[in-house]
Amino acid sequence: MAHAKTSYVCLPCRASYKQPYVGDHERLCPRCAEPLIHVGSAFAVPRRRDTAGWRVLAVLLNAGVRFHKSCCGGPGYRPRTLREVRERMAHARSSGEPFAKALVYRELP
């Protein structure tokens, strides 16, 4: 049986790899040998030179947000700019909501 491809990311290298998903075993970056982060199959990688895009991605991944397909096909809303991230993080701090939940709001309450 063929396994579906999913994306793994190395934040230090700013690299993404599509690989078959065969369970939660650790995968290492072929460039730096650091552990890869499983981000899901609905992930669109920023360009390597897009420093702000990679900073946004690092905040999302470190908060536990991933890019798995939902019943409607995509992962749902994900912020794309540092401004959107800052607004949602400020909301989380003031409301006491978990960062992962606040970061995926399309519109802030």
Side-chain angles (χ1 to χ4, degrees):
M1 177 176 107
H3 295 282
K5 295 262 182 167
T6 189
S7 293
Y8 294 84
V9 168
C10 178
L11 291 173
C13 293
R14 294 186 185 173
S16 175
Y17 304 95
K18 287 268 190 198
Q19 298 180 356
Y21 182 75
V22 291
D24 283 332
H25 70 280
E26 184 175 74
R27 294 170 185 257
L28 301 178
C29 176
R31 290 179 178 200
C32 70
E34 289 294 315
L36 294 172
I37 300 169
H38 179 224
V39 294
S41 59
F43 174 70
V45 64
R47 293 187 184 271
R48 187 166 285 140
R49 293 183 185 146
D50 181 2
T51 303
W54 280 95
R55 285 181 60 200
V56 168
L57 180 60
V59 170
L60 292 171
L61 296 178
N62 288 321
V65 175
R66 298 297 186 264
F67 298 81
H68 299 288
K69 291 181 181 175
S70 68
C71 64
C72 301
Y77 173 79
R78 299 294 185 264
R80 292 186 175 263
T81 67
L82 290 170
R83 179 177 168 228
E84 291 173 324
V85 167
R86 281 192 296 271
E87 291 169 349
R88 282 151 183 80
M89 297 288 273
H91 169 75
R93 281 191 287 277
S94 66
S95 69
E97 262 188 290
F99 288 132
K101 185 175 179 183
L103 283 166
V104 298
Y105 281 137
R106 183 174 297 279
E107 301 288 329
L108 289 172

